[in-house]
Amino acid sequence: MPEIRVTPLGAGQDVGRSCILVSIGGKNVMLDCGMHMGFNDDRRFPDFSYITRNGRLTDFLDCVIISHFHLDHCGALPYFSEMVGYDGPIYMTHPTQAICPILLEDYRKIAVDKKGEANFFTSQMIKDCMKKVVAVHLHQTVQVDDELEIKAYYAGHVLGAAMFQIKVGSESVVYTGDYNMTPDRHLGAAWIDKCRPNLLITESTYATTIRDSKRCRERDFLKKVHEAVERGGKVLIPVFALGRAQELCILLETFWERMNLKAPIYFSTGLTEKANHYYKLFITWTNQKIRKTFVQRNMFEFKHIKAFDRAFADNPGPMVIMPGYCVQGTVGHKILSGQRKLEMEGRQVLEVKMQVEYMSFSAHADAKGIMQLVGQAEPESVLLVHGEAKKMEFLKQKIEQEFRVSCYMPANGETVTLPTSPSIPVGISLGLLKREMAQGLLPDAKKPRLLHGTLIMKDSNFRLVSSEQALKELGLAEHQLRFTCRVHLHDPRKEQETAMRVYSHLKSVLKEHCVQHLPDGSVTVESILIQAAAHSEDPGTKVLLVSWTYQDEELGSHLTSLLKKGLPQAAS
Amino acid sequence: MAAHLKKRVYEEFTKVVQQQQEEIATKKLRLTKPSKSAALHIDLCKATSPADALQYLLQFARKPVEAESVEGVVRILLEHYYKENDPSVRLKIASLLGLLSKTAGFSPDCIMDDAINILQNEKSHQVLAQLLDTLLAIGTKLPENQAIQMRLVDVACKHLTDTSHGVRNKCLQLLGNLGSLEKSVTKDGEGLAVRDVQKIIGDYFSDQDPRVRTAAIKAMLQLHERGLKLHQTIYNQACKLLSDDYEQVRSAAVQLIWVVSQLYPESIVPIPSSNEEIRLVDDAFGKICHMVSDGSWVVRVQAAKLLGSMEQVSSHFLEQTLDKKLMSDLRRKRTAHERAKELYSSGEFSSGRKWGDDAPKEEIDTGAVNLIESGACGAFVHGLEDEMYEVRIAAVEALCMLAQSSPSFAEKCLDFLVDMFNDEIEEVRLQSIHTMRKISNNITLREDQLDTVLAVLEDSSRDIREALHELLCCTNVSTKEGIHLALVELLKNLTKYPTDRDSIWKCLKFLGSRHPTLVLPLVPELLSTHPFFDTAEPDMDDPAYIAVLVLIFNAAKTCPTMPALFSDHTFRHYAYLRDSLSHLVPALRLPGRKLVSSAVSANITPHEDPSHQFLQQSLERVYSLQHLDPQGTQELLELTIRDLQRLGELQSELAGVADFSATYLRCQLLLIKALQEKLWNVAAPLYLKQSDLASAAAKQIMEETYKMEFMYSGVENKQVVIIHHMRLQAKALQLIVTARTTRGVDPLFGMCEKFLQEVDFFQRCFIADLPHLQDSFVDKLLDLMPRLMTSKPVEVVKIVQTMLRQSTFLHLPLPEQIHKASATIIEPAGESDNPLRFTSGLVVALDVDATLEHVQDPQSTVKVQVLYPDGQAQMIHPKPADFRNPGPGRHRLITQVYLSHTAWTEPCQVEVRLLLAYNSNSRIPKSPWIEGGEVSSQVETSIEGTIPFSKSVKVYIMPKPARR
């Protein structure tokens, strides 16, 4: 029985460390290879020893697919490929390939330089790892080997985020990675065609949330910033995720442009600045507005936004600053967590006078979005990852209820086995098809049709041909198989008369068949022969000998059952 | 006289017929036409290979074929068709047959039999499809012939089972275009069963090929368009197609569902999986709403558009479209809109923000949440947030249409529309502002909404700001704080973008007159008056102060208690503004002052209106004098012209009529003056110089008549006749002046000829109006026409001169509605002392912004002229997209003019003005026998020219020499 097996090594009923193993049609694929933000020990990387204890991973995995450049989806990649050892292909989209090493390098720096960890992957390892990457385009079908093919779909979320369809024969799995169904200021919405996969593996971060319109959020945000700037204040916007920084940049930039504002906007140097170079290059991956504006100018060439320098901090007048993520323990983090008084070095106590506001600019699909995607792809079953167990429970129930498909939510290390019934393509010879077509009317989708032919299986290749051709090909002589059947009829009259009666009866019943009365007293219906003879013991009973070939089995059995019912009482 | 006239008219008729006979000469060409088919025949026989034949056919197809020779050509084509083995050639022949059968004046029923005949023997699917297309062309050409249609439908049904999708497509198309539903058609003797076309087409909704499915739906829609009533049964079939894999099928299915929902809005359909029933239109609405979140944007646009036109839908379904149940971690959350509303109703505004006010409230029963809404839930929320702006615009438009028909929905959708003001694409923002304006009579803006709306005033796009001003003109504001807020924001806008001045003033005018009671409590604050102290008098030239005053004065018009609050200088400023900005400041009843303008109450009809009567009387007076002494006539005319001009200035609604009449009188005056010249009494050679005056008068009359004809909208035919008559007189004047001043007969000969042609042309154009022109110049002239035609130029001139002197003054009937086209250039303002510097040889873009009033078809008529100091004039044709149409009769031209010149030594001024281009052909009524644009082939009557219709503005420029 063919089956698809899915084992999450990370992100099973959890957020972070996305890593899912899929076995499909005898091929093993690893989806994402992320790290976990919450741990600093071995648990931060997926447990690759699950795949194999000894021996190279390359022998067990056919390919690795990375959905996008966030660290919880690609953070363990150098560790996996260089330290554990994997030499097979790693697939990702072009923007991911470009931006991923920046993030990995940044991650390495924090882990090694700041936290002083030993036995961590090195810069060289990141470079070596990236050499194994094969970049794919959107909607490009990549043939990994003869049977395994993958295809990327647009996923929104961040620049270069993609959903992947993994296909072996007629079996397929779609892995969404992280995606966003509502378009934002620089990215479009996720889209997939009706590919009807056997299994859809979807993230479920917001399984129990339906979000408000993004317009209210944006309006509130812009209004708050605008008000603060008009009052002459400074605005600090800490942005964590890489893609979100660009989103806010575009949002502010267009607003500044529209409203003709002059206050400067700064973003932190380093990561955002570096990544922005790549945002300028991958315009095709952005949304309609940015793509259209590109004819005039590249919207990522900001007019009002500059990189920040510490020397600007005390500049008078309004400004907007976007620092990066506030790491735990920093002043920024303390302010964000709501402390009103800060203890500085030297027992100096500072009162926080700034206003703190929270705004959510998440780029994940909400419950409705997830349902929408499931509706678009029409999968046979759904598997939830990248979310909390309790929330998944709700979504699982909803999916099962509304789409009537089975839904799974395995924990890490738990394997889901999914039996499939793949369809097997069979080639039919044109001659046979035409002959069969000629017999009846047009093929009707609603009515199944019976077709006679011979199935030839040769080197895992199926063909349906007519029996004559099959015999010829295989060099076999034709054997004839005849069925004969005796039907006892109570009829005192002569054989000829009985035959005559049988003839007239069949003639009246089987109107669409050719019924003939041969001169030797026998009756033929098509190629079926009926002969009447007197019963050796009881002259009042006549024995009808019905004989037909195997090909006419259907008509033959029909005929016998007809004759067994007896002849109608003729008006003798 | 009349009998004489009639006779003459007939004479003219015969004359024209003669002219047509001349045209028969062109028919000689047609005699050669049959040779065309022969040529084709020869060509095709010559063709050795199919490729050759194809080439000949392609060449042949480029030339049109006359109706008479079509049949012959068709025969030859058919003959070749039978012989031809190559399918591509047959295909081309089939397509040619289709083209030929569309020829006007050719009845294609004769080739139908042949077409059907070859159809039966054809094997190639492509050729089959093309032949069916040909049949379709034939069928549509003969819509009345029932038998042929029946036959064609039969043929189509027969080929529906073809294996090629192309053939099935064409069959369905044929059925859609020709199939009839009428069962009453009697069956023919041949046993042609009347087919139920709908059922046949409906069967192909489940065809295996998506293209055929689409064609089937389209055919069904075609049936509907042809007025056949579709069965309700197809509704269910169409609903199934909504989940088709192919977008074109879904798109067509959405249309079909919409059509059915409009046909049977009230019938009841069951809801699957429950035993409830709902109205069909509601069900269809829900289904189309669902398609707003389809995977293909083409379908989404289609669905969003159609939603707008479903007006019969129940209100609770309608309101669902704006509802999206929010939740956070399974707890119900209120939308930002709901929160804003609540804040507002609890009386709390921006007074500090509460923490976590968006914290989720009550728990939700997990079973009750429906993530995939069956109905219309949140369709517009999705549509307005869509990725593609096409969908968003369609959704905004649909919202507008639905809100116009349902006030309660309008109230609800307001929040969403306001949100759209912040869209990233300007087109969407603009569209949503326009939408809001259209539904503004159904809504009142809450303060928080107003706040958001006003925030857009800072937008850097001029279109957006102006649209918003227009919106504010017709918005209802609920509180005095709202008015105050609006005023403050508008003043902010004014300081940020001073060019918006006029638009803002106008906006405040309406805002004031709409909300007098809300303005009243604000007056002391706005005028900054103090109960005890006199405050400083504000600067009268400050646009912001004027803006405030405009608001207050307009509010005071309907609020008599308001003037009591004014301080002294306010009254003085009122008097000043009333005079300088009379279009913005209304007449007020102020204590101790008499009304400046005569308050004409609206119920007086124009004819009872004293000023209108005055106009009529003064004109009557002029027309009644026929044989006054020249001196008296001139004086009276001058007096009347002055009166009319003053009247036009005072009464804006009569300005058009008064101006129009005054212009006419001025022409007459000029004519009379010219004829009074001494020139006529003295021997020709002596007065060469004085003749200048007469010829100048002639020229001016010409100009004035063109103005009269083309600068006024609402000019009717009877006025056009009089205008042309006046022009004819001017031409006559020109003729006689030239005759007197030039020597030699040769130039005169040509002029006479031309003049007579003009007269002839005039007569032919206005034959119907000639009876009204009794005793006029042209009337007398026509009487003598036969004589004129034969006499010598000198004689002609003599006759014309006496005619001109004897002719009477024609009465100009006043048109009902007449408006003078006018234009004001707002920008460049012409006040700047700083020259616009640019490098010589390069161009500089000058922004031109002008308002045009009562200009018909400005896209083709309005031009911008730039006059350089060296006399060089440049004419610029603005792009059609530069014209905006903010209201009926009004246009706005915002364009860029490129200036360039060689280097100057010092800055100098160029003049910019607007011109109205005209073409004298456009107004002339087509006489019945001059059809098909032959007018232009007559005498060169199509005179093109331009009339300046705006004040010119001076722009200071300075082309610098290029630096090396």
Side-chain angles (χ1 to χ4, degrees), chain A residues 143-321:
Chain A
Q143 211 73 38
V144 177
D145 56 31
D146 287 346
E147 289 158 31
L148 177 65
E149 59 180 49
I150 61 172
K151 183 177 175 186
Y153 290 96
Y154 192 77
H157 189 63
V158 288
L159 194 79
M163 309 192 273
F164 280 90
Q165 185 191 35
I166 301 113
K167 201 168 169 191
V168 179
S170 65
E171 293 168 89
S172 64
V173 171
V174 170
Y175 173 61
T176 64
D178 289 355
Y179 64 98
N180 190 6
M181 293 299 281
T182 44
D184 54 28
R185 288 284 171 145
H186 78 296
L187 296 170
W191 180 85
I192 196 163
D193 56 11
K194 252 184 218 187
C195 51
R196 301 196 173 90
N198 295 84
L199 176 68
L200 175 79
I201 305 174
T202 171
E203 65 134 328
S204 53
T205 322
Y206 284 113
T208 55
T209 302
I210 299 176
R211 273 183 300 168
D212 200 353
S213 134
K214 63 158 185 168
R215 297 193 180 279
C216 297
R217 278 196 314 261
E218 286 175 1
R219 199 188 59 206
D220 278 0
F221 170 74
L222 293 173
K223 207 170 143 192
K224 280 169 186 171
V225 172
H226 189 192
E227 274 171 9
V229 168
E230 272 205 336
R231 281 199 307 266
K234 296 181 169 59
V235 184
L236 275 159
I237 310 166
V239 195
F240 166 44
L242 188 53
R244 295 298 88 197
Q246 269 73 23
E247 167 77 5
L248 291 185
C249 281
I250 287 283
L251 188 58
L252 286 174
E253 167 90 6
T254 42
F255 186 72
W256 251 238
E257 188 116 332
R258 256 184 64 198
M259 297 303 187
N260 241 337
L261 297 179
K262 296 283 178 280
I265 305 171
Y266 300 107
F267 62 72
S268 61
T269 44
L271 203 58
T272 318
E273 197 186 6
K274 271 186 222 154
N276 205 50
H277 290 305
Y278 293 103
Y279 270 79
K280 283 178 204 163
L281 298 178
F282 293 104
I283 293 298
T284 43
W285 285 79
T286 55
N287 70 2
Q288 193 188 20
K289 159 86 177 168
I290 296 181
R291 274 183 281 140
K292 289 216 157 149
T293 318
F294 185 66
V295 181
Q296 287 137 15
R297 69 187 189 95
N298 190 335
M299 277 181 76
F300 288 105
E301 307 266 6
F302 300 126
K303 280 184 185 161
H304 304 274
I305 304 178
K306 297 170 206 81
F308 187 67
D309 189 276
R310 263 176 194 273
F312 300 155
D314 291 325
N315 281 2
M319 64 171 84
V320 179
I321 307 159

Side-chain angles (χ1 to χ4, degrees), chain B residues 37 365 504 794 844:
Chain B
S37 59
D365 174 20
I504 288 174
V794 183
V844 66

Side-chain angles (χ1 to χ4, degrees), chain A residues 33 64-71 73-83 86-106 108 121-136 278 282:
Chain A
C33 186
V64 174
I65 294 168
I66 303 294
S67 65
H68 63 282
F69 59 65
H70 280 157
L71 285 177
H73 292 261
C74 70
L77 205 55
Y79 169 77
F80 162 77
S81 71
E82 305 308 309
M83 297 172 81
Y86 169 75
D87 297 323
I90 301 170
Y91 291 96
M92 53 176 81
T93 61
H94 287 276
T96 311
Q97 188 197 19
I99 300 173
C100 187
I102 307 176
L103 270 121
L104 287 171
E105 185 58 36
D106 189 66
R108 192 198 63 81
F121 53 78
T122 60
S123 297
Q124 190 54 46
M125 284 180 181
I126 298 175
K127 281 180 197 151
D128 291 340
C129 163
M130 293 315 289
K131 281 179 190 154
K132 297 173 186 169
V133 169
V134 181
V136 297
Y278 293 103
F282 293 104

Side-chain angles (χ1 to χ4, degrees), chain B residues 897-913:
Chain B
V897 169
Y898 298 112
L899 306 179
S900 184
H901 213 274
T902 50
W904 295 350
T905 51
E906 57 193 77
C908 215
Q909 280 168 329
V910 292
E911 275 183 43
V912 177
R913 63 180 179 179

